[in-house]
């Protein structure tokens, strides 16, 4: 290979992750912020206790980064968040809260009481990462950049909560509303938002929900991309590829189901609100010369529109049954094939009115910090409260981060303090400042 071709390959490999990340970004939707909320945020930011908290956040930067590294290096794989949860609980307790507990789903919940207690505001980050047990989560520093799986998504979210609480306590900020600082479980993948689902089934009255699980503070997630996830499993007797030829073959049924589903789903999703589908994982079989006894696949479908998601769901079920029927009709001997469709994920969808005070306050706070503001629709912990018509947003962590869900994830503390100051403004504007 000549030198030019080698250089071309190096450039392609280097730029590929950036290209992929760019393809995942949706254009931000514009928001016209009501001048009332612009004034409210400006007046709030000029209060002495808020200015004091702002300075504390800056002063705490070295410790904030130490905490980020320490938390990142505590593994928190799917469904196994316990070690990180316990450390997070200890850290919250050491900073100072009125009460703290761990619920049935493993959520760590810390209460800071308000003066009126007529309202409850949640601010949270999720404890889990996507990385399986055994993944090396050691933080490596290259120049001023920190590399480690999960360092951004969402360890930095937990990191923001800790410094935010320190700044509020140090400045002696009082809020009208109760504030719950929460580390939630099960946000990623097949966790299926189990932590937040538990919160809203626990009897706790939640009036406002703020999730810290994004990148730049200029992006405000105000809508929920819903999803349905299925594990589809065809089962047959299995046998020798020659001696038992003519038995039903589960792989054949899977292939037919995928063909019919993709054909119909492609036609349906070409128009209308963005709706997506993906066959992400497949398996089954033991040998090239054995008819498999089982064939399975995992299917992901997404849309911000519940009706369109329901339609895609029906198309999948029809295709699965068609694959089953056609394979059974072709058999030459033995029992029929069977199929099981198990739902392994169900996230509700929804979009809120952009005139909501919470959305306007978040946008005004971002603009006050000269970060701009735009709206996005994503799949986050906010899906649950949004589906229940409870004001909810997901906001950025501050600093710069990229490579989420990859082993090369990184975080750069480029004015990361702004992300924590931003969270402070959004939280106190919703909870009400009682120091006046």
């Amino acid at each position: 290979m000549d030198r030019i071709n080698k250089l071309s390959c190096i450039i392609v490999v280097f730029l590929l992750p950036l290209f992929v990340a760019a393809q995942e970004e949706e254009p931000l939707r514009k928001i016209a912020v009501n001048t009332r909320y612009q004034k409210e945020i400006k007046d709030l930011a000029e209060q002495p206790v808020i200015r004091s908290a702002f300075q504390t956040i800056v002063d705490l930067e070295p410790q904030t980064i130490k905490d980020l590294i320490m938390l990142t290096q505590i593994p928190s794989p799917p469904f196994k968040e316990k070690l990180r949860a316990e450390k997070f609980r200890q850290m919250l307790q050491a900073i100072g809260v009125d009460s703290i507990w761990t619920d049935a789903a493993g959520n760590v919940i810390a209460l800071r009481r308000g003066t009126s207690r007529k309202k409850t505001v949640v601010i949270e980050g999720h404890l889990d990462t996507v990385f399986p047990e055994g993944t090396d989560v050691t933080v490596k520093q290259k120049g001023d950049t920190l590399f480690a799986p999960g360092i951004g998504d969402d360890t930095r979210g937990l990191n923001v909560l800790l410094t935010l609480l320190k700044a509020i306590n140090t400045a002696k900020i009082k809020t009208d509303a109760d504030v719950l600082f929460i580390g939630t479980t099960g946000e990623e993948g097949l966790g299926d938002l189990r932590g937040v689902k538990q919160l809203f089934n626990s009897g706790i009255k939640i009036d406002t929900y703020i999730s810290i699980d994004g990148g730049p503070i200029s992006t405000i997630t105000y809508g929920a991309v819903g999803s349905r996830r299925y594990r589809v499993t065809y089962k047959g007797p299995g046998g020798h590829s020659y001696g038992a030829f003519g038995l039903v073959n589960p792989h054949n049924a899977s292939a037919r189901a995928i063909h019919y589903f993709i054909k119909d789903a492609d036609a349906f999703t070409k128009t209308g609100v963005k709706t997506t589908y993906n066959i992400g994982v497949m398996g089954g079989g033991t040998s090239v010369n054995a008819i498999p006894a089982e064939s399975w696949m995992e299917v992901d479908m997404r849309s911000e529109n519940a009706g369109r998601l329901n339609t895609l769901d029906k198309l999948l079920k029809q295709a699965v049954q068609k694959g089953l029927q056609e394979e059974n009709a072709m058999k030459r001997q033995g029992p029929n094939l069977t199929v099981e469709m198990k739902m392994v994920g169900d996230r509700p969808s929804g979009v809120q009115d952009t005139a909501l005070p919470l959305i306007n306050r978040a946008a005004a706070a971002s603009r006050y910090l000269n970060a701009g503001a735009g709206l996005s629709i994503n799949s986050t912990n906010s899906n649950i409260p949004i589906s229940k018509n409870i004001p909810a947003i997901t906001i950025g962590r501050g600093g710069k981060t990229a490579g989420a869900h990859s082993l090369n994830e990184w975080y750069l503390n480029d004015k990361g303090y702004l992300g924590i100051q931003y969270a402070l403004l959004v939280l106190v504007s919703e909870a009400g400042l009682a120091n006046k």
Side-chain angles (χ1 to χ4, degrees), residues 36-53:
R36 166 191 166 187
Y37 297 105
Q38 293 177 7
K39 183 178 185 304
E40 178 185 311
I41 292 296
K42 183 176 182 296
D43 290 345
L44 176 64
E46 292 174 355
Q47 293 294 318
V49 289
I50 299 298
R51 290 203 303 270
S52 174

Side-chain angles (χ1 to χ4, degrees), residues 234-256:
Y234 289 100
K235 292 183 179 181
H240 194 279
S241 63
Y242 185 82
F245 183 72
L247 290 177
V248 286
N249 187 314
H251 281 341
N252 292 352
S254 287
R256 287 190 178 91

Side-chain angles (χ1 to χ4, degrees), residues 118-151:
K118 293 179 180 178
K119 179 179 177 181
T120 299
V121 178
V122 165
I123 186 161
E124 61 90 10
H126 65 83
L127 292 158
D128 57 321
T129 69
V130 300
F131 303 98
E133 200 168 14
T135 301
D136 183 2
V137 291
T138 304
V139 177
K140 299 175 178 66
Q141 185 163 353
K142 299 177 183 177
D144 53 3
T145 305
L146 302 175
F147 290 81
I151 194 164

Side-chain angles (χ1 to χ4, degrees), residues 209-225:
Y209 196 92
I210 304 164
S211 177
I212 303 177
D213 187 18
I217 64 175
S218 57
T219 301
I220 302 162
T221 296
Y222 82 114
V225 174

Side-chain angles (χ1 to χ4, degrees), residues 147-402:
F147 290 81
I151 194 164
D153 186 11
D154 188 34
T155 315
R156 171 62 183 179
L158 300 174
N159 186 227
V160 169
L161 289 182
L162 292 168
T163 299
L164 173 62
L165 180 59
K166 288 178 186 176
I168 288 174
N169 284 357
T170 301
K172 296 181 171 56
I173 292 173
K174 298 178 183 178
T175 58
D176 292 319
D178 283 353
V179 177
L180 294 176
F181 292 80
I182 305 178
T184 57
T185 57
E187 194 277 342
E188 299 287 7
L190 296 181
D192 200 34
L193 309 184
R194 75 179 191 280
V196 185
K197 288 178 178 178
Q198 170 64 29
L199 284 178
F200 283 92
N201 287 326
S202 66
I204 298 174
K205 183 179 179 294
I206 298 172
D207 300 284
T208 301
Y209 196 92
I210 304 164
S211 177
I212 303 177
D213 187 18
I217 64 175
S218 57
T219 301
I220 302 162
T221 296
Y222 82 114
V225 174
S227 65
R228 302 269 175 82
R229 290 168 176 168
Y230 286 97
R231 185 181 176 101
V232 180
T233 306
Y234 289 100
K235 292 183 179 181
H240 194 279
S241 63
Y242 185 82
F245 183 72
L247 290 177
V248 286
N249 187 314
H251 281 341
N252 292 352
S254 287
R256 287 190 178 91
I258 292 172
H259 168 74
Y260 291 128
F261 174 59
I262 297 303
K263 182 174 177 291
D264 292 340
D266 177 65
F268 174 67
T269 59
K270 279 182 176 176
T271 58
V273 174
K274 183 176 180 179
T275 304
T276 65
Y277 55 90
N278 184 57
I279 315 295
V281 189
M282 297 182 69
T286 57
S287 171
V288 69
N289 62 337
I291 299 169
E294 179 179 281
S295 180
W296 58 268
M297 59 181 165
E298 290 180 348
V299 186
D300 172 270
M301 301 172 288
R302 300 185 181 216
S303 181
E304 66 186 70
N305 182 282
R308 287 178 65 79
L309 195 55
N310 286 337
T311 298
L312 206 57
D313 191 297
K314 290 177 183 177
L315 293 178
L316 175 63
K317 289 174 179 174
Q318 290 169 3
V320 167
Q321 288 302 315
K322 196 170 181 180
L324 176 72
Q325 292 161 9
E326 288 190 0
E327 181 60 18
N328 282 335
M330 285 184 65
K331 74 172 186 177
R332 301 182 187 182
Q333 60 169 314
N336 279 344
L337 198 66
T338 61
V339 68
E340 176 188 51
M341 284 190 70
K342 181 180 179 182
M343 183 179 281
V344 293
D346 185 13
R347 298 188 178 202
S349 57
V351 177
Q352 302 171 105
D353 186 343
T354 57
L356 277 176
L358 174 61
I359 296 172
N360 273 259
R361 284 168 177 150
S366 180
R367 289 178 181 174
Y368 176 81
L369 296 171
N370 298 314
L375 302 177
S376 71
I377 296 179
N378 286 299
S379 181
T380 71
N381 273 338
S382 292
N383 281 40
I384 302 301
I386 288 172
S387 73
K388 296 178 179 293
N389 296 316
I390 294 169
I393 55 173
T394 298
I395 61 176
R397 315 175 190 100
K400 293 181 179 178
T401 184

